[in-house]
mmCIF file with all atom_site columns, all heavy atoms in Angstrom:
data_model
loop_
_atom_site.group_PDB
_atom_site.id
_atom_site.type_symbol
_atom_site.label_atom_id
_atom_site.label_alt_id
_atom_site.label_comp_id
_atom_site.label_asym_id
_atom_site.label_entity_id
_atom_site.label_seq_id
_atom_site.pdbx_PDB_ins_code
_atom_site.Cartn_x
_atom_site.Cartn_y
_atom_site.Cartn_z
_atom_site.occupancy
_atom_site.B_iso_or_equiv
_atom_site.pdbx_formal_charge
_atom_site.auth_seq_id
_atom_site.auth_comp_id
_atom_site.auth_asym_id
_atom_site.auth_atom_id
_atom_site.pdbx_PDB_model_num
ATOM 1   N N   . GLN C 1 34 ? 13.977 -114.646 66.506 1.00 0.00 ? 34 GLN C N   1
ATOM 2   C CA  . GLN C 1 34 ? 14.920 -114.525 65.393 1.00 0.00 ? 34 GLN C CA  1
ATOM 3   C C   . GLN C 1 34 ? 15.239 -113.053 65.170 1.00 0.00 ? 34 GLN C C   1
ATOM 4   O O   . GLN C 1 34 ? 14.380 -112.185 65.321 1.00 0.00 ? 34 GLN C O   1
ATOM 5   C CB  . GLN C 1 34 ? 14.333 -115.147 64.115 1.00 0.00 ? 34 GLN C CB  1
ATOM 6   C CG  . GLN C 1 34 ? 15.339 -115.261 62.982 1.00 0.00 ? 34 GLN C CG  1
ATOM 7   C CD  . GLN C 1 34 ? 14.882 -116.256 61.924 1.00 0.00 ? 34 GLN C CD  1
ATOM 8   O OE1 . GLN C 1 34 ? 14.000 -117.075 62.157 1.00 0.00 ? 34 GLN C OE1 1
ATOM 9   N NE2 . GLN C 1 34 ? 15.489 -116.191 60.757 1.00 0.00 ? 34 GLN C NE2 1
ATOM 10  N N   . LEU C 1 35 ? 16.485 -112.784 64.802 1.00 0.00 ? 35 LEU C N   1
ATOM 11  C CA  . LEU C 1 35 ? 16.921 -111.426 64.511 1.00 0.00 ? 35 LEU C CA  1
ATOM 12  C C   . LEU C 1 35 ? 17.078 -111.238 63.014 1.00 0.00 ? 35 LEU C C   1
ATOM 13  O O   . LEU C 1 35 ? 17.591 -112.129 62.321 1.00 0.00 ? 35 LEU C O   1
ATOM 14  C CB  . LEU C 1 35 ? 18.250 -111.130 65.198 1.00 0.00 ? 35 LEU C CB  1
ATOM 15  C CG  . LEU C 1 35 ? 18.279 -111.148 66.720 1.00 0.00 ? 35 LEU C CG  1
ATOM 16  C CD1 . LEU C 1 35 ? 19.711 -110.961 67.212 1.00 0.00 ? 35 LEU C CD1 1
ATOM 17  C CD2 . LEU C 1 35 ? 17.360 -110.081 67.298 1.00 0.00 ? 35 LEU C CD2 1
ATOM 18  N N   . HIS C 1 36 ? 16.652 -110.078 62.524 1.00 0.00 ? 36 HIS C N   1
ATOM 19  C CA  . HIS C 1 36 ? 16.940 -109.676 61.152 1.00 0.00 ? 36 HIS C CA  1
ATOM 20  C C   . HIS C 1 36 ? 17.851 -108.451 61.248 1.00 0.00 ? 36 HIS C C   1
ATOM 21  O O   . HIS C 1 36 ? 17.379 -107.327 61.460 1.00 0.00 ? 36 HIS C O   1
ATOM 22  C CB  . HIS C 1 36 ? 15.663 -109.367 60.380 1.00 0.00 ? 36 HIS C CB  1
ATOM 23  C CG  . HIS C 1 36 ? 15.893 -109.164 58.918 1.00 0.00 ? 36 HIS C CG  1
ATOM 24  N ND1 . HIS C 1 36 ? 15.982 -107.918 58.343 1.00 0.00 ? 36 HIS C ND1 1
ATOM 25  C CD2 . HIS C 1 36 ? 16.089 -110.060 57.913 1.00 0.00 ? 36 HIS C CD2 1
ATOM 26  C CE1 . HIS C 1 36 ? 16.196 -108.038 57.045 1.00 0.00 ? 36 HIS C CE1 1
ATOM 27  N NE2 . HIS C 1 36 ? 16.266 -109.326 56.750 1.00 0.00 ? 36 HIS C NE2 1
ATOM 28  N N   . VAL C 1 37 ? 19.136 -108.690 61.132 1.00 0.00 ? 37 VAL C N   1
ATOM 29  C CA  . VAL C 1 37 ? 20.126 -107.656 61.416 1.00 0.00 ? 37 VAL C CA  1
ATOM 30  C C   . VAL C 1 37 ? 20.026 -106.461 60.469 1.00 0.00 ? 37 VAL C C   1
ATOM 31  O O   . VAL C 1 37 ? 20.103 -105.307 60.921 1.00 0.00 ? 37 VAL C O   1
ATOM 32  C CB  . VAL C 1 37 ? 21.545 -108.264 61.403 1.00 0.00 ? 37 VAL C CB  1
ATOM 33  C CG1 . VAL C 1 37 ? 22.595 -107.178 61.594 1.00 0.00 ? 37 VAL C CG1 1
ATOM 34  C CG2 . VAL C 1 37 ? 21.675 -109.323 62.496 1.00 0.00 ? 37 VAL C CG2 1
ATOM 35  N N   . PRO C 1 38 ? 19.851 -106.651 59.150 1.00 0.00 ? 38 PRO C N   1
ATOM 36  C CA  . PRO C 1 38 ? 19.835 -105.473 58.267 1.00 0.00 ? 38 PRO C CA  1
ATOM 37  C C   . PRO C 1 38 ? 18.765 -104.452 58.621 1.00 0.00 ? 38 PRO C C   1
ATOM 38  O O   . PRO C 1 38 ? 18.966 -103.248 58.420 1.00 0.00 ? 38 PRO C O   1
ATOM 39  C CB  . PRO C 1 38 ? 19.581 -106.092 56.877 1.00 0.00 ? 38 PRO C CB  1
ATOM 40  C CG  . PRO C 1 38 ? 20.109 -107.491 56.979 1.00 0.00 ? 38 PRO C CG  1
ATOM 41  C CD  . PRO C 1 38 ? 19.792 -107.917 58.367 1.00 0.00 ? 38 PRO C CD  1
ATOM 42  N N   . THR C 1 39 ? 17.623 -104.904 59.141 1.00 0.00 ? 39 THR C N   1
ATOM 43  C CA  . THR C 1 39 ? 16.546 -103.976 59.481 1.00 0.00 ? 39 THR C CA  1
ATOM 44  C C   . THR C 1 39 ? 16.424 -103.737 60.983 1.00 0.00 ? 39 THR C C   1
ATOM 45  O O   . THR C 1 39 ? 15.499 -103.059 61.427 1.00 0.00 ? 39 THR C O   1
ATOM 46  C CB  . THR C 1 39 ? 15.194 -104.482 58.953 1.00 0.00 ? 39 THR C CB  1
ATOM 47  O OG1 . THR C 1 39 ? 14.924 -105.779 59.523 1.00 0.00 ? 39 THR C OG1 1
ATOM 48  C CG2 . THR C 1 39 ? 15.201 -104.575 57.444 1.00 0.00 ? 39 THR C CG2 1
ATOM 49  N N   . ARG C 1 40 ? 17.338 -104.312 61.770 1.00 0.00 ? 40 ARG C N   1
ATOM 50  C CA  . ARG C 1 40 ? 17.315 -104.170 63.229 1.00 0.00 ? 40 ARG C CA  1
ATOM 51  C C   . ARG C 1 40 ? 15.964 -104.618 63.792 1.00 0.00 ? 40 ARG C C   1
ATOM 52  O O   . ARG C 1 40 ? 15.353 -103.961 64.636 1.00 0.00 ? 40 ARG C O   1
ATOM 53  C CB  . ARG C 1 40 ? 17.604 -102.724 63.642 1.00 0.00 ? 40 ARG C CB  1
ATOM 54  C CG  . ARG C 1 40 ? 19.003 -102.251 63.302 1.00 0.00 ? 40 ARG C CG  1
ATOM 55  C CD  . ARG C 1 40 ? 19.195 -100.764 63.576 1.00 0.00 ? 40 ARG C CD  1
ATOM 56  N NE  . ARG C 1 40 ? 18.787 -100.376 64.920 1.00 0.00 ? 40 ARG C NE  1
ATOM 57  C CZ  . ARG C 1 40 ? 19.558 -100.465 66.000 1.00 0.00 ? 40 ARG C CZ  1
ATOM 58  N NH1 . ARG C 1 40 ? 20.793 -100.954 65.884 1.00 0.00 ? 40 ARG C NH1 1
ATOM 59  N NH2 . ARG C 1 40 ? 19.124 -100.076 67.184 1.00 0.00 ? 40 ARG C NH2 1
ATOM 60  N N   . THR C 1 41 ? 15.504 -105.765 63.314 1.00 0.00 ? 41 THR C N   1
ATOM 61  C CA  . THR C 1 41 ? 14.184 -106.262 63.701 1.00 0.00 ? 41 THR C CA  1
ATOM 62  C C   . THR C 1 41 ? 14.296 -107.552 64.509 1.00 0.00 ? 41 THR C C   1
ATOM 63  O O   . THR C 1 41 ? 15.013 -108.471 64.121 1.00 0.00 ? 41 THR C O   1
ATOM 64  C CB  . THR C 1 41 ? 13.308 -106.503 62.461 1.00 0.00 ? 41 THR C CB  1
ATOM 65  O OG1 . THR C 1 41 ? 13.141 -105.267 61.758 1.00 0.00 ? 41 THR C OG1 1
ATOM 66  C CG2 . THR C 1 41 ? 11.940 -107.050 62.846 1.00 0.00 ? 41 THR C CG2 1
ATOM 67  N N   . LEU C 1 42 ? 13.575 -107.585 65.613 1.00 0.00 ? 42 LEU C N   1
ATOM 68  C CA  . LEU C 1 42 ? 13.431 -108.790 66.412 1.00 0.00 ? 42 LEU C CA  1
ATOM 69  C C   . LEU C 1 42 ? 12.091 -109.435 66.077 1.00 0.00 ? 42 LEU C C   1
ATOM 70  O O   . LEU C 1 42 ? 11.049 -108.780 66.152 1.00 0.00 ? 42 LEU C O   1
ATOM 71  C CB  . LEU C 1 42 ? 13.476 -108.449 67.906 1.00 0.00 ? 42 LEU C CB  1
ATOM 72  C CG  . LEU C 1 42 ? 13.092 -109.576 68.875 1.00 0.00 ? 42 LEU C CG  1
ATOM 73  C CD1 . LEU C 1 42 ? 14.106 -110.710 68.833 1.00 0.00 ? 42 LEU C CD1 1
ATOM 74  C CD2 . LEU C 1 42 ? 12.955 -109.027 70.295 1.00 0.00 ? 42 LEU C CD2 1
ATOM 75  N N   . LEU C 1 43 ? 12.123 -110.706 65.707 1.00 0.00 ? 43 LEU C N   1
ATOM 76  C CA  . LEU C 1 43 ? 10.904 -111.451 65.391 1.00 0.00 ? 43 LEU C CA  1
ATOM 77  C C   . LEU C 1 43 ? 10.559 -112.372 66.548 1.00 0.00 ? 43 LEU C C   1
ATOM 78  O O   . LEU C 1 43 ? 11.426 -113.066 67.086 1.00 0.00 ? 43 LEU C O   1
ATOM 79  C CB  . LEU C 1 43 ? 11.096 -112.285 64.121 1.00 0.00 ? 43 LEU C CB  1
ATOM 80  C CG  . LEU C 1 43 ? 11.577 -111.528 62.878 1.00 0.00 ? 43 LEU C CG  1
ATOM 81  C CD1 . LEU C 1 43 ? 11.765 -112.495 61.721 1.00 0.00 ? 43 LEU C CD1 1
ATOM 82  C CD2 . LEU C 1 43 ? 10.594 -110.431 62.516 1.00 0.00 ? 43 LEU C CD2 1
ATOM 83  N N   . VAL C 1 44 ? 9.295  -112.375 66.924 1.00 0.00 ? 44 VAL C N   1
ATOM 84  C CA  . VAL C 1 44 ? 8.795  -113.234 67.991 1.00 0.00 ? 44 VAL C CA  1
ATOM 85  C C   . VAL C 1 44 ? 7.559  -113.956 67.481 1.00 0.00 ? 44 VAL C C   1
ATOM 86  O O   . VAL C 1 44 ? 6.608  -113.321 67.028 1.00 0.00 ? 44 VAL C O   1
ATOM 87  C CB  . VAL C 1 44 ? 8.415  -112.419 69.247 1.00 0.00 ? 44 VAL C CB  1
ATOM 88  C CG1 . VAL C 1 44 ? 7.969  -113.343 70.364 1.00 0.00 ? 44 VAL C CG1 1
ATOM 89  C CG2 . VAL C 1 44 ? 9.562  -111.530 69.695 1.00 0.00 ? 44 VAL C CG2 1
ATOM 90  N N   . ALA C 1 45 ? 7.581  -115.279 67.539 1.00 0.00 ? 45 ALA C N   1
ATOM 91  C CA  . ALA C 1 45 ? 6.421  -116.073 67.165 1.00 0.00 ? 45 ALA C CA  1
ATOM 92  C C   . ALA C 1 45 ? 6.064  -116.987 68.329 1.00 0.00 ? 45 ALA C C   1
ATOM 93  O O   . ALA C 1 45 ? 6.938  -117.642 68.899 1.00 0.00 ? 45 ALA C O   1
ATOM 94  C CB  . ALA C 1 45 ? 6.695  -116.899 65.904 1.00 0.00 ? 45 ALA C CB  1
ATOM 95  N N   . VAL C 1 46 ? 4.788  -117.003 68.684 1.00 0.00 ? 46 VAL C N   1
ATOM 96  C CA  . VAL C 1 46 ? 4.297  -117.818 69.798 1.00 0.00 ? 46 VAL C CA  1
ATOM 97  C C   . VAL C 1 46 ? 3.098  -118.613 69.302 1.00 0.00 ? 46 VAL C C   1
ATOM 98  O O   . VAL C 1 46 ? 2.200  -118.058 68.658 1.00 0.00 ? 46 VAL C O   1
ATOM 99  C CB  . VAL C 1 46 ? 3.895  -116.943 71.002 1.00 0.00 ? 46 VAL C CB  1
ATOM 100 C CG1 . VAL C 1 46 ? 3.166  -117.768 72.054 1.00 0.00 ? 46 VAL C CG1 1
ATOM 101 C CG2 . VAL C 1 46 ? 5.112  -116.269 71.598 1.00 0.00 ? 46 VAL C CG2 1
ATOM 102 N N   . ALA C 1 47 ? 3.083  -119.909 69.603 1.00 0.00 ? 47 ALA C N   1
ATOM 103 C CA  . ALA C 1 47 ? 1.977  -120.769 69.186 1.00 0.00 ? 47 ALA C CA  1
ATOM 104 C C   . ALA C 1 47 ? 1.552  -121.651 70.352 1.00 0.00 ? 47 ALA C C   1
ATOM 105 O O   . ALA C 1 47 ? 2.371  -122.068 71.169 1.00 0.00 ? 47 ALA C O   1
ATOM 106 C CB  . ALA C 1 47 ? 2.382  -121.636 67.990 1.00 0.00 ? 47 ALA C CB  1
ATOM 107 N N   . ASP C 1 48 ? 0.267  -121.942 70.400 1.00 0.00 ? 48 ASP C N   1
ATOM 108 C CA  . ASP C 1 48 ? -0.304 -122.784 71.449 1.00 0.00 ? 48 ASP C CA  1
ATOM 109 C C   . ASP C 1 48 ? -1.118 -123.877 70.778 1.00 0.00 ? 48 ASP C C   1
ATOM 110 O O   . ASP C 1 48 ? -2.195 -123.620 70.234 1.00 0.00 ? 48 ASP C O   1
ATOM 111 C CB  . ASP C 1 48 ? -1.188 -121.933 72.368 1.00 0.00 ? 48 ASP C CB  1
ATOM 112 C CG  . ASP C 1 48 ? -1.663 -122.702 73.595 1.00 0.00 ? 48 ASP C CG  1
ATOM 113 O OD1 . ASP C 1 48 ? -1.200 -123.838 73.802 1.00 0.00 ? 48 ASP C OD1 1
ATOM 114 O OD2 . ASP C 1 48 ? -2.496 -122.163 74.335 1.00 0.00 ? 48 ASP C OD2 1
ATOM 115 N N   . GLY C 1 49 ? -0.597 -125.102 70.818 1.00 0.00 ? 49 GLY C N   1
ATOM 116 C CA  . GLY C 1 49 ? -1.285 -126.213 70.192 1.00 0.00 ? 49 GLY C CA  1
ATOM 117 C C   . GLY C 1 49 ? -2.645 -126.476 70.822 1.00 0.00 ? 49 GLY C C   1
ATOM 118 O O   . GLY C 1 49 ? -2.800 -126.412 72.043 1.00 0.00 ? 49 GLY C O   1
#
Side-chain angles (χ1 to χ4, degrees):
Q34 189 162 343
L35 296 175
H36 189 260
V37 176
T39 59
R40 294 173 51 85
T41 299
L42 170 66
L43 306 178
V44 183
V46 170
D48 188 7

